[in-house]
Short mmCIF file of all heavy atoms in Angstrom, two decimals:
data_model
loop_
_atom_site.label_atom_id
_atom_site.label_comp_id
_atom_site.label_asym_id
_atom_site.label_seq_id
_atom_site.Cartn_x
_atom_site.Cartn_y
_atom_site.Cartn_z
N ARG A 248 -27.23 -4.72 -2.72
CA ARG A 248 -26.93 -6.10 -2.37
C ARG A 248 -27.30 -6.95 -3.57
O ARG A 248 -28.48 -7.02 -3.93
CB ARG A 248 -27.77 -6.56 -1.17
CG ARG A 248 -27.64 -5.74 0.09
CD ARG A 248 -28.75 -6.12 1.07
NE ARG A 248 -28.75 -5.29 2.26
CZ ARG A 248 -28.18 -5.65 3.42
NH1 ARG A 248 -27.60 -6.82 3.53
NH2 ARG A 248 -28.21 -4.85 4.46
N ARG A 335 -13.59 2.17 4.72
CA ARG A 335 -14.93 2.70 4.44
C ARG A 335 -15.50 3.44 5.64
O ARG A 335 -16.18 4.46 5.49
CB ARG A 335 -15.86 1.53 4.07
CG ARG A 335 -17.27 1.92 3.74
CD ARG A 335 -18.14 0.70 3.58
NE ARG A 335 -18.35 -0.01 4.84
CZ ARG A 335 -19.24 0.32 5.77
NH1 ARG A 335 -20.03 1.34 5.57
NH2 ARG A 335 -19.35 -0.36 6.89
N ALA A 337 -14.89 3.71 10.33
CA ALA A 337 -14.05 3.28 11.46
C ALA A 337 -14.29 1.80 11.70
O ALA A 337 -15.43 1.38 11.91
CB ALA A 337 -14.40 4.10 12.69
N PRO A 338 -13.25 0.98 11.66
CA PRO A 338 -13.45 -0.47 11.69
C PRO A 338 -13.51 -1.06 13.09
O PRO A 338 -13.03 -0.46 14.06
CB PRO A 338 -12.20 -0.99 10.96
CG PRO A 338 -11.14 -0.01 11.35
CD PRO A 338 -11.83 1.33 11.45
N THR A 339 -14.07 -2.25 13.16
CA THR A 339 -14.02 -3.06 14.38
C THR A 339 -12.64 -3.71 14.46
O THR A 339 -12.15 -4.25 13.46
CB THR A 339 -15.10 -4.15 14.34
OG1 THR A 339 -16.38 -3.51 14.31
CG2 THR A 339 -15.02 -5.05 15.55
N LEU A 340 -12.03 -3.68 15.64
CA LEU A 340 -10.67 -4.20 15.80
C LEU A 340 -10.68 -5.53 16.55
O LEU A 340 -11.38 -5.67 17.56
CB LEU A 340 -9.81 -3.21 16.57
CG LEU A 340 -9.71 -1.80 15.98
CD1 LEU A 340 -8.87 -0.92 16.89
CD2 LEU A 340 -9.10 -1.85 14.59
N ARG A 387 -16.60 -3.94 6.92
CA ARG A 387 -17.40 -4.50 5.83
C ARG A 387 -18.85 -4.06 5.92
O ARG A 387 -19.34 -3.69 6.98
CB ARG A 387 -17.30 -6.04 5.85
CG ARG A 387 -15.91 -6.52 5.46
CD ARG A 387 -15.78 -8.03 5.53
NE ARG A 387 -15.81 -8.52 6.89
CZ ARG A 387 -15.37 -9.72 7.26
NH1 ARG A 387 -14.87 -10.53 6.36
NH2 ARG A 387 -15.44 -10.11 8.52
N LEU A 388 -19.50 -4.16 4.80
CA LEU A 388 -20.90 -3.76 4.72
C LEU A 388 -21.80 -4.81 5.34
O LEU A 388 -21.46 -5.97 5.36
CB LEU A 388 -21.29 -3.54 3.26
CG LEU A 388 -20.61 -2.35 2.59
CD1 LEU A 388 -20.72 -2.46 1.07
CD2 LEU A 388 -21.22 -1.04 3.06
N ALA B 30 -13.67 -8.07 20.53
CA ALA B 30 -13.50 -7.06 19.46
C ALA B 30 -13.82 -5.67 19.99
O ALA B 30 -14.75 -5.49 20.78
CB ALA B 30 -14.40 -7.41 18.29
N PHE B 31 -13.05 -4.70 19.53
CA PHE B 31 -13.22 -3.31 19.92
C PHE B 31 -14.03 -2.63 18.83
O PHE B 31 -13.59 -2.51 17.69
CB PHE B 31 -11.84 -2.64 20.08
CG PHE B 31 -11.90 -1.24 20.61
CD1 PHE B 31 -11.76 -1.00 21.97
CD2 PHE B 31 -12.07 -0.17 19.77
CE1 PHE B 31 -11.80 0.30 22.47
CE2 PHE B 31 -12.11 1.13 20.25
CZ PHE B 31 -11.97 1.36 21.61
N ASP B 35 -19.24 4.26 15.47
CA ASP B 35 -19.42 4.81 14.13
C ASP B 35 -20.68 4.19 13.54
O ASP B 35 -20.76 2.97 13.39
CB ASP B 35 -18.18 4.46 13.28
CG ASP B 35 -18.24 5.09 11.89
OD1 ASP B 35 -19.36 5.39 11.41
OD2 ASP B 35 -17.17 5.27 11.28
N ALA B 37 -21.63 3.97 10.71
CA ALA B 37 -21.41 3.24 9.46
C ALA B 37 -20.73 1.90 9.69
O ALA B 37 -20.54 1.14 8.75
CB ALA B 37 -20.55 4.09 8.50
N ASN B 38 -20.37 1.64 10.94
CA ASN B 38 -19.77 0.35 11.28
C ASN B 38 -20.89 -0.65 11.55
O ASN B 38 -21.72 -0.43 12.42
CB ASN B 38 -18.86 0.50 12.50
CG ASN B 38 -18.20 -0.80 12.89
OD1 ASN B 38 -18.85 -1.81 13.11
ND2 ASN B 38 -16.87 -0.78 12.96
N ARG B 39 -20.91 -1.75 10.82
CA ARG B 39 -22.07 -2.65 10.92
C ARG B 39 -22.06 -3.43 12.23
O ARG B 39 -23.10 -3.93 12.65
CB ARG B 39 -22.12 -3.60 9.73
CG ARG B 39 -21.14 -4.74 9.79
CD ARG B 39 -21.16 -5.56 8.53
NE ARG B 39 -20.33 -6.73 8.68
CZ ARG B 39 -20.79 -7.97 8.72
NH1 ARG B 39 -22.07 -8.21 8.58
NH2 ARG B 39 -19.97 -8.98 8.87
N ASP B 40 -20.91 -3.53 12.90
CA ASP B 40 -20.91 -4.17 14.21
C ASP B 40 -21.50 -3.23 15.27
O ASP B 40 -22.03 -3.69 16.28
CB ASP B 40 -19.48 -4.55 14.62
CG ASP B 40 -18.95 -5.69 13.76
OD1 ASP B 40 -19.69 -6.64 13.52
OD2 ASP B 40 -17.79 -5.59 13.32
N ASP B 44 -28.11 -4.05 10.93
CA ASP B 44 -29.45 -3.97 10.36
C ASP B 44 -30.22 -5.21 10.83
O ASP B 44 -29.72 -5.99 11.65
CB ASP B 44 -29.40 -3.88 8.82
CG ASP B 44 -28.55 -4.97 8.21
OD1 ASP B 44 -28.61 -6.12 8.72
OD2 ASP B 44 -27.83 -4.71 7.24
#
Side-chain angles (χ1 to χ4, degrees):
Chain A
R248 303 167 184 263
R335 181 188 68 82
T339 297
L340 304 177
R387 291 178 291 198
L388 293 163
Chain B
F31 186 94
D35 184 336
N38 180 305
R39 77 186 187 112
D40 291 317
D44 52 39

